[in-house]
């Protein structure tokens, strides 16, 4: 069950369903997702989070992210996706705090803060204006939704300014943080699970199981998220896309091309355009 409405400026969606299969990907728009229920973990760029009811997850254009499900418990969520072009027309001071934080530091708002700042209400207040399919395209309804989105962004900006220290993921498993740090320093080179396990003083199979359990990703998938993130940064600087793959840690262009398209949904050349 659910509703979904899209126009040029925004998309609004509510759904409650069995957990879908979602690969790591990025968008060209901002996404604000209110998690309601399910047994899920989120990975956004270099951070991972265990999702709890009332948590809000934010992804900005180009940020790699995915959600993994640990059981078949029903997945319920709202989300609002907002066009970067539309957001760019809003006053810069309204967006300054949203866009200026260190990457990965403000992708997650715990339920307690979301409740404190009234952010959850905005997702629910929009619903009645888009619930009736015969009235979805009424200009006054869409105008009300835009007003709620602007108010939501204003509240979000206020929260980021007042609660900066709350956005750092300090509760992450220390072993997982150490593995991520090792990968971040070495992903351009070949990363061997045996060498990584030796570095961690851990059994290789336990290490892989623990990382998957904590993050929802395999170690290989996480390595590839870092490589593709680097590829997206380097693409405009390379005259030929085929010269790029080794700089991002891939052994051949074919593997790079397939991984890039799986993560982003487009080929390297399409992404560059």
């Amino acid at each position: 069950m659910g509703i979904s409405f899209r126009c040029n400026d925004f998309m609004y969606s509510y759904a409650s369903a069995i957990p879908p299969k979602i690969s790591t990907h990025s968008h060209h728009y901002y996404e604000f997702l209110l998690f309601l229920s399910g047994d899920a973990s989120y990975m956004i760029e270099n951070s991972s989070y265990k999702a709890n009811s009332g948590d809000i997850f934010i992804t900005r254009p180009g940020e790699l992210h995915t959600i993994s499900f640990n059981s078949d418990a029903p997945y319920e969520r709202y989300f609002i996706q907002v066009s970067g072009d539309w957001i760019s027309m809003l006053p810069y001071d309204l967006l300054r705090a949203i866009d200026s934080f260190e990457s990965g530091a403000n992708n997650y708002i715990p339920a307690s803060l979301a409740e404190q700042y009234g952010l959850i209400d905005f997702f629910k207040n929009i619903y009645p204006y888009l619930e009736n399919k015969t009235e979805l395209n009424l200009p006054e309804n869409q105008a009300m939704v835009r007003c709620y989105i602007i108010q939501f962004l204003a509240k979000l900006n206020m929260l980021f300014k007042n609660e900066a220290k709350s956005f750092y993921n300090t509760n992450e498993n220390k072993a997982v943080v150490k593995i991520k740090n090792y990968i971040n320093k070495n992903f351009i080179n070949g990363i061997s699970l045996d060498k990584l396990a030796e570095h961690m003083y851990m059994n290789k199979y336990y290490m892989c199981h623990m990382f998957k359990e904590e993050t929802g990703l395999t170690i290989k998938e996480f390595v590839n998220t870092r490589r593709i993130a680097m590829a997206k940064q380097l693409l405009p600087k390379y005259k030929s896309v085929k010269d790029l793959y080794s700089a991002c840690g891939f052994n051949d262009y074919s593997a790079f091309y397939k991984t890039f398209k799986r993560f982003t949904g487009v080929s390297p050349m399409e992404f560059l355009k």
Side-chain angles (χ1 to χ4, degrees), residues 65-166:
H65 60 284
T66 190
I67 177 172
S68 58
F69 298 93
N70 307 309
S71 74
D72 292 330
Y75 172 46
E76 184 181 12
R77 89 298 184 264
Y78 290 95
F79 71 66
I80 302 169
Q81 296 172 346
V82 186
S83 158
D85 291 337
W86 185 69
I87 275 191
S88 68
M89 293 188 292
L90 301 177
Y92 177 66
D93 285 344
L94 184 64
L95 306 171
R96 186 193 304 270
I98 296 173
D99 271 337
S100 63
F101 276 50
E102 179 184 344
S103 178
N106 59 338
N107 294 109
Y108 161 72
I109 299 174
S112 57
L113 282 178
E115 183 77 31
Q116 180 183 334
Y117 281 81
L119 296 177
I120 294 172
D121 295 337
F122 289 105
F123 291 88
K124 297 179 179 179
N125 289 341
I126 289 174
Y127 189 96
Y129 292 98
L130 300 176
E131 181 181 15
N132 189 332
K133 291 185 178 180
T134 62
E135 299 179 355
L136 286 179
N137 292 310
L138 290 178
E140 52 268 35
N141 281 6
Q142 292 186 35
M144 288 299 296
V145 174
R146 288 181 176 87
C147 289
Y148 274 124
I149 292 174
I150 292 172
Q151 292 178 61
F152 173 81
L153 293 172
K155 279 282 190 178
L156 197 58
N157 202 57
M158 185 185 304
L159 184 152
F160 284 151
K161 287 180 177 178
N162 297 341
E163 311 287 347
K165 293 181 181 178
S166 302

